[in-house]
């Protein structure tokens, strides 16, 4: 394997760490769903792609690049856990695809490469799973038998908090991936520990600020323009306001960028956001319980209202099922 392309969050970096430990000389790059076809244009060898959703908007372009590599006789492995776009045809997909929406990319990458890496790499599968809230799977429970769970959660905490502070610094992310791919613990790197602690101090300040500033509208709680992690803002908004859905939002140019979170099994954010945002001239999607969206800035309050309506409808349907 000559190339590894992965997502820049904890699950993506842990997947990359596992892949790097199997393919020591591979070049590692970070990408995201919309940028993937463009980034694939630089690839001229065997490639493994981890934790990057197949986005509907660039599906054909992505397929075209994967097919080019396949036609050149390259090995292409695609490992992901995001819901697949409508019309996706597995039999016509030009890659060896590993896909499940129930387990994170790190878990699936570890299972795929298990015979090429040390069993110690299962630690990264578990940390990646914690990073994506997907550590309650049967496989992760099984992998945990090898470890001391509480210490592993401590290590996961350091890595997750340190990665949080890297933002879009891809060089930092790459260094972290190489470091953990050598079976090193996050706590053994002073720089990572320092970053993690600094991020946690900021997080506690932000948690208190969100408690003050969170706005509750029906079943939806949001904060806007805090200048902090949108994902974590969404989690705290939801938790502190006791809402079903939390949103961390910020204005960017002429649109509002958002992260959304829910704990409810009745709500599929990926599905709802695709429907609501498209007709507003925006876009959205992700996982059922964790997703992102972007809408024109003047539509924000309309968006909150429509999301509330959709949530009420889903809860009613869900209750009728029982
Ligand atoms: Mn993931």
């Amino acid at each position: 394997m000559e190339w590894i392309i992965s997502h820049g969050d904890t699950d993506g970096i842990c997947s990359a760490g596992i892949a790097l430990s199997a393919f020591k000389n591979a070049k590692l790059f970070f990408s995201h769903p919309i940028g993937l076809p463009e980034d694939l244009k630089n690839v001229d060898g065997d490639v493994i792609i981890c934790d990057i959703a197949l986005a509907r908007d660039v599906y054909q372009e992505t397929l075209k690049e994967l097919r080019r590599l396949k036609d050149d006789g390259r090995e292409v492995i695609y490992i992901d856990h995001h819901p697949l776009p409508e019309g996706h045809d597995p039999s016509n997909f030009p890659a060896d695809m590993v896909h499940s929406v129930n387990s994170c990319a790190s878990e699936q990458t570890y299972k795929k490469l298990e015979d090429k890496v040390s069993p110690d790499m299962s630690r990264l599968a578990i940390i990646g799973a914690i990073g994506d809230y997907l550590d309650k799977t049967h496989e992760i429970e099984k992998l945990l038998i090898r470890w001391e769970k509480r210490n592993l959660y401590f290590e996961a905490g350091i890595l997750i908090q340190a990665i949080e502070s890297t933002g879009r610094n891809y060089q930092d992310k790459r260094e972290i991936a190489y470091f953990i791919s050598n079976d090193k613990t996050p706590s053994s790197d002073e720089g990572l520990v320092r970053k993690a602690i600094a991020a946690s101090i900021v997080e506690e300040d932000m948690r208190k600020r969100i408690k003050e500033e969170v706005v509750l509208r029906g079943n939806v709680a949001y904060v806007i323009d805090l200048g902090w992690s949108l994902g974590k803002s969404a989690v705290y908004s939801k938790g502190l306001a006791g809402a079903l859905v939390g949103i961390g939002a910020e204005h960017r140019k002429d649109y509002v960028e958002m992260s959304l979170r829910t704990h409810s099994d009745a709500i599929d954010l990926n599905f709802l956001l695709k429907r609501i945002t498209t007709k507003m001239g925006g876009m959205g999607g992700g996982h059922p319980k964790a997703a992102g969206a972007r809408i024109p800035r003047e539509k924000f309050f309309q968006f909150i209202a429509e999301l509330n309506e959709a949530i009420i409808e889903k809860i009613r349907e869900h209750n009728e099922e029982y």
Side-chain angles (χ1 to χ4, degrees):
M1 203 59 62
E2 295 146 87
W3 297 74
I4 297 165
I5 300 183
S6 198
H7 189 206
D9 67 353
T10 300
D11 184 30
I13 290 175
C14 287
S15 303
I18 295 164
L20 273 172
S21 110
F23 312 111
K24 298 251 183 284
N25 297 316
K27 293 179 265 244
L28 167 62
F29 286 91
F30 293 101
S31 188
H32 54 93
I34 301 296
L36 182 61
E38 214 40 50
D39 290 336
L40 279 172
K41 286 189 177 143
N42 300 314
V43 173
D44 56 5
D46 297 346
V47 60
I48 179 165
I49 301 158
C50 303
D51 200 28
I52 300 181
L54 279 167
R56 182 183 48 178
D57 296 329
V58 293
Y59 183 71
Q60 290 306 332
E61 290 92 316
T62 306
L63 234 59
K64 191 180 146 207
E65 285 307 313
L66 295 175
R67 194 161 290 127
R68 171 184 65 79
L69 289 163
K70 265 285 188 214
D71 290 347
D72 285 351
R74 308 302 187 183
E75 188 180 359
V76 182
I77 302 177
Y78 204 113
I79 301 174
D80 187 40
H81 67 120
H82 296 84
L84 294 163
E86 248 172 76
H88 170 75
D89 176 8
S91 64
N92 208 14
F93 191 67
D96 171 7
M97 192 174 209
V98 179
H99 185 270
S100 160
V101 292
N102 301 317
S103 40
C104 70
S106 305
E107 177 189 322
Q108 297 187 69
T109 303
Y110 178 72
K111 291 312 286 180
K112 177 75 180 171
L113 304 177
E114 199 171 9
D115 56 350
K116 294 185 173 66
V117 299
S118 147
D120 283 355
M121 280 296 123
S122 62
R123 177 161 56 191
L124 291 186
I126 299 165
I127 294 177
I130 296 169
D132 262 9
Y133 297 97
L134 284 168
D135 53 319
K136 285 184 185 156
T137 68
H138 176 69
E139 190 59 45
I140 295 294
E141 294 285 345
K142 235 169 74 191
L143 294 177
L144 264 168
I145 293 169
R146 188 185 167 82
W147 300 96
E148 211 290 320
K149 185 172 177 169
R150 298 162 302 176
N151 183 44
L152 203 70
Y153 277 65
F154 172 69
E155 295 291 349
I158 294 175
L159 193 66
I160 290 163
Q161 294 298 74
I163 287 172
E164 188 68 45
S165 74
T166 61
R168 290 182 201 172
N169 187 330
Y170 293 109
Q171 188 47 35
D172 280 5
K173 290 178 194 289
R174 194 173 292 126
E175 278 168 24
I176 294 173
Y178 279 99
F179 183 74
I180 57 178
S181 78
N182 286 317
D183 201 15
K184 299 255 178 55
T185 56
S187 67
S188 66
D189 183 273
E190 235 178 84
L192 281 182
V193 173
R194 223 176 305 130
K195 277 182 192 156
I197 290 173
S200 292
I201 290 170
V202 170
E203 180 156 345
E204 178 61 1
D205 285 344
M206 294 311 292
R207 188 185 73 83
K208 287 177 180 157
R209 211 177 130 193
I210 291 169
K211 213 185 207 177
E212 301 293 319
E213 293 186 23
V214 65
V215 181
L216 181 64
R217 289 278 174 276
N219 291 301
V220 178
Y222 68 86
V223 285
I224 192 155
D225 291 330
L226 294 190
W228 188 57
S229 158
L230 297 182
K232 289 201 177 205
S233 295
V235 170
Y236 282 118
S237 294
K238 180 175 80 60
L240 292 168
L244 284 175
V245 173
I247 302 179
E250 72 186 16
H251 287 100
R252 285 190 199 164
K253 296 179 195 151
D254 48 355
Y255 54 87
V256 179
E257 183 84 24
M258 286 174 266
S259 259
L260 297 93
R261 299 287 184 273
T262 185
H263 55 267
S264 168
D265 293 327
I267 300 165
D268 182 337
L269 288 174
N270 174 53
F271 172 81
L272 289 186
L273 289 176
K274 275 188 180 146
R275 202 182 69 194
I276 298 173
T277 57
T278 308
K279 63 177 183 188
M280 287 185 175
M283 55 171 109
H287 301 283
K289 293 184 177 177
R294 168 184 290 191
I295 49 156
R297 62 189 296 157
E298 68 279 6
K299 301 263 173 79
F300 183 66
F301 294 104
Q302 188 193 335
F303 170 82
I304 300 286
E306 294 208 14
L307 183 59
N308 259 312
E309 271 174 43
I311 291 168
I312 290 166
E313 193 183 309
K314 285 293 156 201
I315 291 168
R316 197 183 309 125
E317 282 172 20
H318 191 76
N319 288 339
E320 278 164 9
E321 280 172 30
Y322 293 97

